[in-house]
Coordinates of all heavy atoms in Angstrom, one line a residue:
A1 N -83.4 48.2 -42.7 CA -83.2 47.1 -41.7 C -83.6 45.7 -42.5 O -82.8 44.8 -42.2 CB -84.0 47.4 -40.5
I2 N -84.7 45.7 -43.3 CA -85.0 44.5 -43.9 C -84.0 44.0 -44.8 O -83.6 42.9 -44.9 CB -86.5 44.6 -44.5 CG1 -87.5 44.8 -43.4 CG2 -86.8 43.4 -45.4 CD1 -88.9 45.2 -43.9
V3 N -83.5 45.0 -45.6 CA -82.4 44.7 -46.6 C -81.3 44.2 -45.9 O -80.7 43.1 -46.4 CB -82.1 46.0 -47.5 CG1 -81.0 45.8 -48.3 CG2 -83.4 46.3 -48.3
R4 N -80.9 44.9 -44.9 CA -79.8 44.4 -44.1 C -79.7 42.9 -43.7 O -78.9 42.0 -43.7 CB -79.3 45.3 -43.0 CG -78.8 46.7 -43.5 CD -78.3 47.4 -42.2 NE -77.9 48.7 -42.6 CZ -78.6 49.8 -42.5 NH1 -79.8 49.8 -42.1 NH2 -78.1 50.9 -43.0
R5 N -81.0 42.6 -43.0 CA -81.2 41.2 -42.5 C -81.2 40.2 -43.5 O -80.7 39.1 -43.2 CB -82.5 41.3 -41.6 CG -82.9 39.9 -41.0 CD -81.8 39.5 -40.1 NE -82.1 38.1 -39.6 CZ -82.6 37.7 -38.5 NH1 -83.0 38.8 -37.6 NH2 -82.9 36.6 -38.1
L6 N -82.0 40.4 -44.7 CA -82.1 39.5 -45.7 C -80.6 39.2 -46.3 O -80.4 38.1 -46.5 CB -83.0 39.9 -46.8 CG -84.4 40.1 -46.3 CD1 -85.3 40.5 -47.6 CD2 -85.1 38.8 -45.7
A7 N -79.8 40.2 -46.4 CA -78.4 40.0 -47.0 C -77.6 39.3 -45.9 O -76.8 38.4 -46.3 CB -77.9 41.4 -47.2
T8 N -77.8 39.6 -44.6 CA -77.0 38.9 -43.6 C -77.4 37.4 -43.5 O -76.5 36.5 -43.3 CB -77.3 39.5 -42.2 OG1 -76.9 40.9 -42.3 CG2 -76.6 38.8 -41.1
D9 N -78.6 37.2 -43.9 CA -79.1 35.7 -43.9 C -78.7 35.0 -45.2 O -79.2 34.0 -45.4 CB -80.6 35.7 -43.5 CG -80.8 35.9 -42.1 OD1 -79.9 36.0 -41.3 OD2 -82.1 36.0 -41.7
G10 N -78.1 35.7 -46.1 CA -77.4 35.0 -47.3 C -78.3 35.3 -48.5 O -77.9 34.8 -49.6
A11 N -79.3 36.2 -48.5 CA -80.2 36.4 -49.7 C -79.4 37.5 -50.6 O -78.7 38.4 -50.0 CB -81.4 36.9 -49.5
K12 N -79.6 37.4 -51.9 CA -79.2 38.5 -52.8 C -80.4 39.5 -52.8 O -81.4 39.0 -53.1 CB -78.9 38.0 -54.2 CG -77.8 36.9 -54.3 CD -77.6 36.5 -55.6 CE -76.3 35.4 -55.8 NZ -76.3 34.9 -57.3
V13 N -80.0 40.7 -52.6 CA -81.2 41.6 -52.4 C -81.3 42.8 -53.4 O -80.2 43.5 -53.4 CB -81.2 42.2 -51.0 CG1 -82.6 43.0 -50.7 CG2 -81.1 41.1 -50.0
A14 N -82.3 43.1 -54.0 CA -82.6 44.3 -54.9 C -83.6 45.2 -53.9 O -84.4 44.5 -53.3 CB -83.1 44.0 -56.1
F15 N -83.4 46.4 -54.0 CA -84.4 47.3 -53.3 C -84.7 48.5 -54.0 O -83.8 48.9 -54.7 CB -83.9 47.6 -51.9 CG -82.5 48.4 -51.9 CD1 -82.6 49.7 -51.8 CD2 -81.3 47.8 -51.9 CE1 -81.4 50.5 -51.7 CE2 -80.2 48.5 -51.8 CZ -80.2 49.8 -51.7
T16 N -85.9 49.0 -53.9 CA -86.2 50.3 -54.6 C -86.0 51.5 -53.6 O -86.2 51.4 -52.4 CB -87.5 50.3 -55.2 OG1 -88.7 50.2 -54.1 CG2 -87.8 49.1 -56.0
Y17 N -85.9 52.7 -54.2 CA -85.9 53.8 -53.5 C -86.6 55.0 -54.4 O -86.7 54.7 -55.7 CB -84.6 54.4 -53.1 CG -83.7 54.7 -54.3 CD1 -83.5 56.0 -54.8 CD2 -83.1 53.8 -55.0 CE1 -82.7 56.4 -55.8 CE2 -82.3 54.0 -56.1 CZ -82.0 55.5 -56.5 OH -81.4 55.6 -57.6
A18 N -87.3 55.9 -53.9 CA -88.0 56.7 -54.7 C -87.5 58.2 -54.6 O -87.8 59.0 -55.5 CB -89.6 56.9 -54.2
A19 N -86.7 58.5 -53.6 CA -86.2 59.9 -53.6 C -84.7 60.1 -53.7 O -84.2 59.7 -54.7 CB -86.7 60.5 -52.1
S20 N -84.1 60.3 -52.7 CA -82.6 60.6 -52.7 C -81.9 59.3 -52.9 O -82.1 58.3 -52.4 CB -82.2 61.2 -51.4 OG -80.8 61.3 -51.3
R21 N -80.9 59.4 -53.8 CA -80.1 58.2 -54.3 C -79.0 58.0 -53.2 O -78.5 56.8 -53.1 CB -79.4 58.6 -55.6 CG -78.5 57.4 -56.1 CD -78.0 57.7 -57.4 NE -77.2 56.7 -57.9 CZ -76.6 56.6 -59.1 NH1 -77.0 57.5 -60.0 NH2 -75.7 55.7 -59.5
A22 N -78.6 59.0 -52.4 CA -77.3 58.8 -51.4 C -77.6 57.6 -50.5 O -76.7 56.9 -50.3 CB -77.2 60.1 -50.9
P23 N -78.8 57.6 -49.8 CA -78.9 56.5 -48.8 C -78.9 55.3 -49.5 O -78.5 54.2 -48.9 CB -80.3 56.8 -48.2 CG -80.6 58.3 -48.4 CD -79.9 58.6 -49.7
A24 N -79.4 55.2 -50.7 CA -79.5 53.8 -51.5 C -78.0 53.4 -51.8 O -77.6 52.2 -51.6 CB -80.3 54.0 -52.7
D25 N -77.2 54.4 -52.3 CA -75.8 54.1 -52.5 C -75.1 53.6 -51.4 O -74.2 52.7 -51.4 CB -75.2 55.3 -53.2 CG -75.7 55.6 -54.7 OD1 -76.4 54.7 -55.3 OD2 -75.4 56.6 -55.1
Q26 N -75.3 54.3 -50.2 CA -74.6 53.9 -48.9 C -75.0 52.5 -48.5 O -74.1 51.8 -48.1 CB -75.0 55.0 -48.0 CG -74.3 54.7 -46.6 CD -74.6 55.7 -45.6 OE1 -75.2 56.7 -45.9 NE2 -74.2 55.6 -44.3
L27 N -76.3 52.1 -48.7 CA -76.6 50.8 -48.2 C -76.2 49.8 -49.0 O -75.6 48.7 -48.8 CB -78.2 50.8 -48.2 CG -78.8 49.4 -47.8 CD1 -78.4 49.1 -46.4 CD2 -80.3 49.5 -47.8
R28 N -76.2 50.1 -50.4 CA -75.6 49.1 -51.4 C -74.1 48.9 -51.1 O -73.7 47.7 -51.0 CB -75.9 49.5 -52.8 CG -75.6 48.5 -53.9 CD -75.8 49.1 -55.3 NE -74.8 50.0 -55.6 CZ -75.1 51.3 -55.7 NH1 -76.3 51.8 -55.6 NH2 -74.1 52.1 -56.1
S29 N -73.4 49.9 -51.0 CA -72.0 49.7 -50.6 C -71.7 49.0 -49.3 O -70.8 48.2 -49.2 CB -71.3 51.2 -50.6 OG -71.5 51.9 -51.7
E30 N -72.6 49.3 -48.2 CA -72.3 48.6 -47.0 C -72.4 47.2 -47.2 O -71.8 46.5 -46.7 CB -73.5 49.2 -46.1 CG -73.5 48.5 -44.6 CD -74.7 48.9 -44.0 OE1 -75.1 50.0 -44.0 OE2 -75.2 48.1 -43.1

């Protein structure tokens, strides 16, 4: 939710994940 909000407000966002890659790929694509 934080990643989405920062992106919506115009920021370029990098985010880390530790386990499954699938949710990270989905969020990045979204």
Side-chain angles (χ1 to χ4, degrees):
I2 293 170
V3 170
R4 289 187 180 97
R5 177 58 186 262
L6 296 181
T8 297
D9 284 355
K12 298 177 180 178
V13 187
F15 64 93
T16 68
Y17 66 99
S20 173
R21 180 175 175 175
D25 287 346
Q26 182 177 352
L27 179 58
R28 189 182 67 248
S29 296
E30 173 189 327

